[in-house]
Amino acid sequence: MAAAAALARLEQKQPRARGPTSQDSIRNQVRKELRAEATVSGNPEAPGNNTVQEPKEEGSAHLAVPGVYFTCPLTGAILRKDQRDARIREAILMHFSTDPVAASIMKIHTFNKDRDRVKLGVDTIAKYLDNIHLHPEEEKYRKIKVQNKVFQERIHCLEGTHEFFEAIGFQKVLLPIPDQEGPEEFYVLSEAALAQPQSLERHKEQLLSAEPVRATLARQRRIFRPSPLASQFDLPTDFFNLTAEEIKREQRLRSEAVERLSVLRTKAMREREEQREMRKYTYTLLRVRLPDGCLLQGTFYARERVAALYGFVREALQNDWLPFELLASGGQKLSEDENLAFNECGLVPSALLTFSWDMAVLEDIRAAGTQPDTSILKPELLSAIEKL
């Protein structure tokens, strides 16, 4: 269900009026290839499947959420945290058969983790292509010596750069060097590629503007009936930076030190402790109690902003145009406009919040002789409601 919902949201966001984009074609082609590969291999866990694997944790049946999952932006597949990099790599490599330029660009930006090194390499390649564009009649600019120091230090060391040169029309050839015994290896631009300067310019812009392909966090949206267990969260270890043993040890040490430090702690010590608390969690599981008692649940990064939760809730509402408020425990109002992260608001690793409509707007609606729909959530979400 989570996979189907993720795929539906992905497809709804695609532009309709102006036809398919290059990203659309990449995504569709990769999906076809991955599905074909899955059919041939008979492997139900092939990278094209939109299935969430069952968690392996002991006692997982009682967890508030089975784990942390991600959506592959190329295939729409739902992936476990430990599958992300391998599955994205597979999807990019498979795309070489249909669009080697786009695939090599994705490889450069995704497979190389040092962003400064990537930028230096990409800027150097762009300089090579600019020289060709500005001086098409000069043969020296169409040849790149592979053993050149700049090429070796900035380009040769990056994954995907050699595939990019070959995809845009360069060929590796051995050329003689004056006053040198043996020939050396060069990338030489073909005549066919030279005759299409617009294509080279377009490929250069693609290379410069590209971003790493990263899996997006799957919200795993769920709707629960009203329950007295709303504030109880049994989280999987995915939500913690610490191991289970480290968490237990830290809880024990903290309980032993509470009395000793309660009087002696300075403001600086308390602030340092709060900072340590905020860094412990990578993700947070949030539930929103609606006016009818139903619960809306989703997974977020601990460092995401409160606005992300407002957007998540608004997507689920029948009347998504009506303004509303979210209250944390103790009645603390969370403002959609504040640039605060969940860990800065104390909403990690889990929290229960309360939803309320903007009363001033409701009064205006009633004064106009109408009433808002009694059903708060969209019907398709209510059809999948669960018991907590």
Side-chain angles (χ1 to χ4, degrees):
M1 289 168 58
L7 184 58
R9 289 195 302 275
L10 183 73
E11 291 175 345
Q12 285 171 4
K13 292 178 182 177
Q14 302 311 311
R16 302 183 185 279
R18 52 190 177 84
T21 65
S22 59
Q23 282 294 328
D24 292 332
S25 60
I26 290 172
R27 186 179 293 108
N28 293 333
Q29 183 61 35
V30 170
R31 278 182 184 165
K32 289 178 185 177
E33 293 173 2
L34 292 175
R35 286 170 184 160
E37 183 181 89
T39 303
V40 172
S41 65
N43 179 10
E45 295 191 7
N49 286 354
N50 287 347
T51 56
V52 175
Q53 305 300 324
E54 288 299 317
K56 306 298 183 186
E57 290 192 41
E58 184 177 347
S60 60
H62 302 292
L63 293 175
V65 67
V68 176
Y69 292 88
F70 296 83
T71 304
C72 175
L74 295 178
T75 65
I78 302 298
L79 312 173
R80 294 194 310 267
K81 188 163 67 169
D82 59 351
Q83 294 176 319
R84 285 178 298 177
D85 293 343
R87 292 294 176 83
I88 286 177
R89 177 178 283 265
E90 289 173 7
I92 291 174
L93 293 178
M94 189 161 289
H95 194 59
F96 269 98
S97 61
T98 55
D99 191 343
V101 175
S104 61
I105 290 173
M106 287 189 284
K107 187 174 181 180
I108 291 170
H109 285 275
T110 306
F111 292 6
N112 302 288
K113 303 304 180 185
D114 188 332
R115 301 304 303 157
D116 291 335
R117 187 179 288 269
V118 169
K119 185 179 187 311
L120 183 61
V122 164
D123 288 344
T124 304
I125 294 174
K127 183 64 176 175
Y128 284 139
L129 298 181
D130 279 338
N131 285 336
I132 295 172
H133 180 72
L134 295 172
H135 310 283
E137 71 288 344
E138 300 229 18
E139 185 181 353
K140 66 177 181 179
Y141 291 118
R142 304 202 298 267
K143 297 188 296 185
I144 303 171
K145 187 178 179 181
V146 174
Q147 292 304 317
N148 176 277
K149 183 180 179 182
V150 170
F151 186 91
Q152 287 289 314
E153 291 179 351
R154 299 184 183 183
I155 299 174
H156 177 76
C157 58
L158 297 177
E159 283 193 70
T161 51
H162 293 280
E163 291 93 332
F164 176 75
F165 276 112
E166 291 172 0
I168 66 173
F170 281 88
Q171 299 168 342
K172 265 188 180 180
V173 295
L174 291 172
L175 296 177
I177 304 295
D179 303 323
Q180 185 174 308
E181 286 188 11
E184 287 212 29
E185 201 170 38
F186 284 78
Y187 273 119
V188 179
L189 187 65
S190 67
E191 292 295 334
L194 183 63
Q196 296 180 316
Q198 298 87 352
S199 294
L200 287 178
E201 189 67 15
R202 186 175 69 253
H203 297 328
K204 184 197 77 173
E205 294 302 326
Q206 283 180 268
L207 180 66
L208 288 171
S209 61
E211 295 288 339
V213 179
R214 298 281 185 254
T216 56
L217 181 66
R219 296 296 186 206
Q220 299 185 78
R221 180 173 58 196
R222 298 173 74 180
I223 310 296
F224 297 105
R225 294 187 178 91
S227 170
L229 304 177
S231 60
Q232 296 183 23
F233 294 86
D234 188 5
L235 298 175
T237 55
D238 285 355
F239 277 72
F240 304 92
N241 284 332
L242 303 178
T243 64
E245 293 74 18
E246 288 171 330
I247 292 170
K248 290 177 182 177
R249 177 176 177 274
E250 183 158 324
Q251 287 174 339
R252 187 181 70 252
L253 293 174
R254 185 186 304 160
S255 62
E256 292 172 356
V258 165
E259 288 188 25
R260 186 173 70 251
L261 293 177
S262 60
V263 178
L264 300 177
R265 282 188 309 170
T266 65
K267 180 181 178 182
M269 291 171 65
R270 289 195 298 272
E271 288 177 351
R272 284 198 298 271
E273 185 174 325
E274 289 171 1
Q275 289 296 320
R276 284 197 298 272
E277 287 291 321
M278 289 196 298
R279 286 193 295 268
K280 278 181 195 172
Y281 309 110
T282 307
Y283 311 99
T284 184
L285 187 68
L286 300 178
R287 285 181 188 148
V288 177
R289 182 189 277 121
L290 301 167
D292 59 2
C294 290
L295 302 166
L296 173 64
Q297 176 178 290
T299 303
F300 298 82
Y301 285 110
R303 291 179 175 82
E304 278 190 85
R305 304 297 164 182
V306 171
L309 178 59
Y310 269 86
F312 174 74
V313 173
R314 191 171 285 112
E315 286 179 358
L317 298 178
Q318 178 97 310
N319 293 315
D320 57 3
W321 57 273
L322 279 174
F324 60 89
E325 297 177 347
L326 296 176
L327 304 177
S329 59
Q332 174 197 358
K333 180 183 174 182
L334 299 177
S335 174
E336 184 175 7
D337 299 326
E338 285 186 56
N339 196 29
L340 285 176
F342 296 123
N343 57 3
E344 295 172 330
C345 302
L347 302 178
V348 291
S350 59
L352 174 66
L353 301 102
T354 301
F355 175 104
S356 66
W357 294 113
D358 186 301
M359 295 308 298
V361 175
L362 283 184
E363 289 300 324
D364 289 342
I365 292 175
R366 293 188 181 111
T370 59
Q371 289 288 339
D373 291 338
T374 55
S375 177
I376 297 171
L377 295 173
K378 293 177 179 176
E380 59 269 27
L381 299 180
L382 286 173
S383 65
I385 196 168
E386 307 172 58
K387 180 181 178 181
L388 186 61

